[in-house]
Amino acid sequence: MKYKSIKLIIPVLAVCLCCGADWPQFRGPLTNNVSLSDAPPAKVDQESIAWTADLEGRGASGPIIVGDKVFLTSTTGFKQDQLHVLCFDLKTGKQLWDRQFWATGRTQCHNKMCVATPTPASDGQRVFATFSSNDVVCLDLEGNLVWLRGLSHDYPNASNSLGMASSPVVVGETLIVPVENDDDSFTTGLDVKTGIARWKIKRPRVANWTSPAILKASPDTEPLVLLQSSEGVDAIYPQTGETAWQYEDGAGRIPSTTVGENTLFVPSNGLTALSPGSSSEPPKVLWSEQKLSPATASPLVYQKKVFTVNRAGVLTCASPQTGEVIWRLRLKGPFSATPIAAANHLYLISEKGLLQVVQLGEKQGEVTGEVDLKETILATPAISDNSLFLRSDQHLWKISSR
């Protein structure tokens, strides 16, 4: 196994306990799919649907929540070249606005994907929407255009034949946008106020659909952004794009690295647990376990357990310290969306639109409720207002306690 340390590494991973009720980007506030402040229903059925909003076109991006608003993206048109950023009222599901833009880059995608696959992100003041066409749109929360970047104008070869799916993340004043592909592959950090690039770094020339994770440091240390590719994981400083350290033993190109329990869980050699080193040491491999290899959904760390979902739809619970399997539970899959966690429960939505709620136990997990939404759902849900928010091509749902 290969590891390379280039700069001082973050000394310790600290769990941030200051998350609000917002779900501002893909996989939530800490990019780990865990809510610390909300408790969605533990038992669900058809009567748990608080409201349903109609959508048009295509969309595999997840919803995000900022305050009392729900934001998501979609595309319409024969070539999926009309880009939409939509806003809904969190309490009622009423559509508040729909801003539309023409795609400036390639809109070719695999049939399972679409141009609106990346999940948007927000810094609490602005919404940043990226699309497979490599268009990046910044709006304020009222839907007013702040800036727009057509990255294909500057980098016309940045694309792949299946479509781009990596979601952006916001850290401080920087929006990190992965544009990793078979040709002109890079990740860029854009100024949130202007859209101007603070930095641009070359990335491996191979199609990559993983999304960045945020490694929260101690209060007096700058956080790192984890970029995963087929070559491994690079930890970069979000303000400059400079590399802090590298894990170079390869990694998957669909499920993404997850941070939790003072450990990084990388889809590499099945699943590999890395411990951030001291100021003079690279990350250390704690264990690798093929039995924990995730399929499309990213791993999840919650309540001192690590969870993965395989291609057969089996949810596996394991020890984050050793990788030893604790229990398994066969669910009704397959799954593209990553599980999300809150209040001692996991929430999993299958590709066929079946929401399954799993109550966690020391010796076994138990399915406590199901809701069949009867539509194809690929997007990871969001949690806010003690509710779940899910989307298909046709609808956006809010699932709440009765």
Side-chain angles (χ1 to χ4, degrees), residues 31 164 186 194 253 298 322 339 354 356 362 378 384:
T31 64
M164 314 285 282
F186 65 93
T194 66
R253 292 185 289 152
S298 300
T322 65
L354 180 65
Q356 298 161 81
E362 286 296 324
L378 306 178
S384 186

Side-chain angles (χ1 to χ4, degrees), residues 92-389:
T92 66
K94 177 183 178 182
Q95 182 173 307
L96 302 178
W97 48 260
D98 175 4
R99 300 295 180 257
Q100 302 178 26
F101 307 87
W102 290 109
T104 65
R106 292 180 60 181
T107 58
Q108 178 182 351
C109 283
H110 188 277
N111 290 336
K112 187 175 181 178
M113 291 174 51
C114 66
V115 175
T117 294
T119 295
S122 175
D123 62 355
Q125 303 177 55
R126 294 161 284 255
V127 174
F128 309 96
T130 64
F131 296 85
S132 178
S133 57
N134 291 334
D135 291 294
V136 187
V137 178
C138 175
L139 305 168
D140 67 20
L141 302 186
E142 303 305 317
N144 300 305
L145 180 65
V146 180
W147 52 262
L148 186 151
R149 289 289 307 273
L151 295 177
S152 291
H153 284 295
D154 296 325
Y155 313 104
N157 294 324
S159 65
N160 66 64
S161 60
L162 300 180
M164 314 285 282
S166 301
S167 299
V169 296
V170 183
V171 181
E173 296 292 308
T174 306
L175 175 72
I176 291 89
V177 182
V179 190
E180 304 190 12
N181 58 88
D182 294 322
D183 196 339
D184 189 359
S185 187
F186 65 93
T187 290
T188 185
L190 305 181
D191 185 290
V192 296
K193 296 178 181 178
T194 66
I196 296 173
R198 295 175 179 269
W199 50 263
K200 171 179 173 286
I201 55 176
K202 291 184 178 180
R203 298 288 291 153
R205 292 180 57 180
V206 62
N208 182 13
W209 299 279
T210 67
S211 294
I214 299 172
L215 177 58
K216 293 294 291 184
S218 56
D220 58 347
T221 310
E222 183 181 2
L224 295 177
V225 173
L226 306 178
L227 303 179
Q228 178 183 319
S229 72
S230 60
E231 295 184 3
V233 177
D234 288 12
I236 65 166
Y237 292 98
Q239 190 74 11
T240 64
E242 294 180 357
T243 301
W245 53 258
Q246 293 175 308
Y247 164 79
E248 296 183 300
D249 202 30
R253 292 185 289 152
I254 298 178
S256 302
T257 294
T258 298
V259 179
E261 301 294 337
N262 297 324
T263 309
L264 316 182
F265 296 89
V266 183
S268 172
N269 301 306
L271 187 70
T272 294
L274 298 178
S275 174
S278 68
S279 60
S280 60
E281 296 176 346
K284 296 180 180 179
V285 173
L286 300 178
W287 50 261
S288 294
E289 179 54 70
Q290 287 290 344
K291 294 179 181 179
L292 297 179
S293 180
T296 300
S298 300
L300 170 70
V301 182
Y302 185 58
Q303 294 188 347
K304 299 183 179 180
K305 303 289 191 302
V306 59
F307 300 89
T308 60
V309 181
N310 66 16
R311 289 178 174 80
V314 175
L315 173 68
T316 299
C317 171
S319 165
Q321 288 79 30
T322 65
E324 181 181 358
V325 173
I326 299 172
W327 52 259
R328 289 190 174 95
L329 179 64
R330 182 173 293 278
L331 300 174
K332 301 171 184 176
F335 298 91
S336 283
T338 296
I340 55 178
N344 198 43
H345 289 79
L346 300 187
Y347 299 85
L348 302 97
I349 183 73
S350 75
E351 292 182 0
K352 296 181 180 179
L354 180 65
L355 173 65
Q356 298 161 81
V357 182
V358 177
Q359 181 175 342
L360 300 179
E362 286 296 324
K363 297 183 178 180
Q364 188 63 46
E366 177 186 3
V367 177
T368 61
E370 296 181 350
V371 177
D372 191 353
L373 299 176
K374 301 182 184 301
E375 294 179 21
T376 298
I377 298 180
L378 306 178
T380 296
I383 294 179
S384 186
D385 195 35
N386 293 319
S387 304
L388 299 173
F389 296 83

